[in-house]
Amino acid sequence: MRLLVLGAGYVGAKLAELALKDGHDVVLADNWWATAREQLDGLERSGARVETVDVREAAAVRALLEPGFDRVYLLAAQASRPLSFSDPAYTEQTNLVGPRLVADSIAEGAAPTELVFGSSLHVYGPDLSGEVTADRPYGAQGDLAHLSKVYAELCLDLYARRHGITLAVLRLGIVYGLGPVEHERPESQTVVDKFRRLVAAGKEPQLDAGGQATIGVIHVEDVARILLDVPSEPGISVANVAAETITVADVARLARGRPAEDQPAWTVASPFEYRHALSDYLAGSS
């Protein structure tokens, strides 16, 4: 298959790595706002084509998509909560305008193209309980980075219904693990790897509200494999992608080599199989 990965960061680079190993033709595109271009050198040597494209620019997106792809992965986003406060304009333009421009370009294409969108479990909002299924309504949002995921889902759904685009929306939990691209800025790191690095450096993780918030987590290799293997079913599908739920306090305990103690407030209903466990990763065996 000919694959386009929009957003060559943490998840996108791992997806490209697995896709290349499976023999797919891969194009990676990014504006290098959060990722350094040279971090993709290894994937480029392995056969990926790497392009500089900003999803906020209509002409650039249209030109990139013009040759046609079997599947487009829309992973380009400003996903950091702290950065959404410090740079709301960039967050809005990337996360709101970008998905619409991508959908526009796919709709204009001559050949059918599948679109896979990397959304977030945060669309359900805070204070969850019970089993979280994909039909749960959207919840209240506390920052632009996650509020924009709700808009992007609805915008892409609109275009998919209007133009007959095959759309898969995958709501990802917090991703952890090692990959071709890793971010050094603390505000761009997810809580699992941030805590792992702090403990390794002899520092204590800081817990908001005692760390009792429950989060869904998934290893980056599991995410990439699921993205690559998601079924090509006509129409629109929505699924949760998280291997397990855990409190933030228990993430800190596992990072320190202690056992988990808390009962998560909620669980995730997900149709996929997972090969990695958080406890193994933080123990250094995965």
Side-chain angles (χ1 to χ4, degrees), residues 188-236:
S188 295
Q189 296 168 9
T190 62
V191 64
V192 174
D193 281 306
K194 184 183 295 185
F195 282 10
R196 179 181 62 83
R197 292 184 183 202
L198 284 171
V199 170
K203 301 177 181 179
E204 280 295 308
Q206 298 299 308
L207 302 177
D208 296 333
Q212 289 310 296
T214 293
I215 57 175
V217 296
I218 179 171
H219 193 281
V220 67
E221 187 172 293
D222 280 335
V223 173
R225 178 176 48 79
I226 288 167
L227 286 166
L228 187 58
D229 295 341
V230 65
S232 303
E233 299 177 357
I236 301 166

Side-chain angles (χ1 to χ4, degrees), residues 49 51 61 87 89 174 177 233 263 271 284:
R49 194 178 102 219
E51 298 287 348
V61 171
D87 199 342
I174 291 176
E233 299 177 357
Q263 181 66 35

Side-chain angles (χ1 to χ4, degrees), residues 11 20 41 69-70 83 197 199 206 208 262:
V11 174
L20 289 167
D41 288 351
F69 294 88
D70 298 303
L83 290 175
R197 292 184 183 202
V199 170
Q206 298 299 308
D208 296 333
D262 299 329

Side-chain angles (χ1 to χ4, degrees), residues 2 27 44 52 76 119 128 151-152 184 186 250 264:
R2 182 168 166 76
V27 177
E44 196 168 27
T52 299
S119 187
L128 298 174
Y151 170 86
E184 293 300 322
D250 273 344

Side-chain angles (χ1 to χ4, degrees), residues 146-162:
H146 296 114
L147 175 63
S148 62
K149 292 292 188 183
V150 176
Y151 170 86
E153 284 194 14
L154 294 174
C155 179
L156 296 176
D157 178 273
L158 182 154
Y159 272 83
R161 287 183 287 106
R162 179 183 294 170

Side-chain angles (χ1 to χ4, degrees), residues 58-172:
V61 171
R62 192 175 298 112
L64 179 66
L65 281 160
E66 190 173 352
F69 294 88
D70 298 303
R71 179 178 286 178
V72 173
Y73 292 95
L74 179 51
L75 306 177
Q78 196 302 92
S80 166
R81 183 175 183 272
L83 290 175
S84 74
F85 291 113
S86 63
D87 199 342
Y90 179 81
T91 302
E92 287 178 335
Q93 288 292 308
T94 302
N95 296 7
L96 302 182
V97 175
R100 178 179 60 79
L101 295 180
V102 172
D104 264 335
S105 296
I106 290 175
E108 293 171 0
T113 300
E114 300 169 6
L115 176 60
V116 180
F117 176 57
S119 187
S120 169
L121 288 180
H122 280 286
V123 299
Y124 300 117
D127 304 321
L128 298 174
S129 62
E131 184 181 55
V132 177
T133 59
D135 58 358
R136 181 170 292 218
Y138 295 122
Q141 301 299 316
D143 61 85
L144 289 176
H146 296 114
L147 175 63
S148 62
K149 292 292 188 183
V150 176
Y151 170 86
E153 284 194 14
L154 294 174
C155 179
L156 296 176
D157 178 273
L158 182 154
Y159 272 83
R161 287 183 287 106
R162 179 183 294 170
H163 299 284
I165 298 169
T166 295
L167 170 66
V169 175
L170 298 182
R171 294 170 176 164
L172 311 183

Side-chain angles (χ1 to χ4, degrees), residues 230-244:
V230 65
S232 303
E233 299 177 357
I236 301 166
S237 61
V238 181
N240 296 327
V241 183
E244 54 193 307

